[in-house]
Amino acid sequence: MKAVLLTSEGLKALQNELENLKTVTRNEIAEKIKIARGFGDLSENSEYDEAKNEQAKIEARIVELEAMLKNAQVIDDMDIAEGTVTIGSTVKLYDAEFDEEIVYTIVGSAESDPLEYKISDESPIGAAIIGHVAGEEVTVTCEAGHLKFKIIEVSR
């Protein structure tokens, strides 16, 4: 597995999720399985099947999180170049087509959340602006075509 780039905030979030899954969620599912067993014949018990499926999903997520954390490479705030777009940077962009400004935080793919304006360094916009500085214009090639942005401000 390749290195998983994370901000310190992203690392804490993944650690918290893992801890919650191992302690709280596992116990909840174990209780659901226990209750479902009490309903009788397991071969026709949909509650039991559902609880076991949920358990399998949770265990898979735990394995995934453990692998991500094992391969985590935390981007230290001091490693973020001042004024240059890197992982951990907050970037204000101007979109001329829509005449609007957008602020994104560039993060590793494991912690991206477009609804929170956290975009991955591997996303089309993230990949296009990495390494650029304020004042530069970049063209992003994506499914929607070619989008042009001007980098207004880069901060940590």
Side-chain angles (χ1 to χ4, degrees), residues 52-126:
K52 290 299 280 182
N53 287 337
E54 187 177 352
Q55 181 184 41
K57 287 179 187 175
I58 295 304
E59 293 303 323
R61 180 65 177 158
I62 288 171
V63 169
E64 178 184 27
L65 287 170
E66 286 175 338
M68 288 169 53
L69 290 170
K70 180 181 176 187
N71 295 297
Q73 180 180 349
V74 179
I75 306 300
D76 188 353
D77 285 346
M78 294 301 136
D79 293 339
I80 299 171
E82 190 69 41
T84 302
V85 180
T86 60
I87 292 178
S89 296
T90 299
V91 184
K92 184 186 289 186
L93 300 173
Y94 174 71
D95 183 346
E97 182 179 346
F98 292 102
D99 189 31
E100 67 180 359
E101 291 182 358
I102 307 165
V103 177
Y104 289 118
T105 300
I106 310 302
V107 295
S109 59
E111 61 182 301
S112 68
D113 185 353
L115 297 176
E116 297 274 329
Y117 296 96
K118 293 180 178 183
I119 61 171
S120 166
D121 62 320
E122 298 173 8
S123 70
I125 293 174

Side-chain angles (χ1 to χ4, degrees), residues 28-38 48 51-52 55:
E28 290 172 352
I29 292 173
E31 186 63 28
K32 285 181 184 179
I33 291 171
K34 181 180 173 185
I35 291 169
R37 280 188 180 144
Y48 179 79
K52 290 299 280 182
Q55 181 184 41

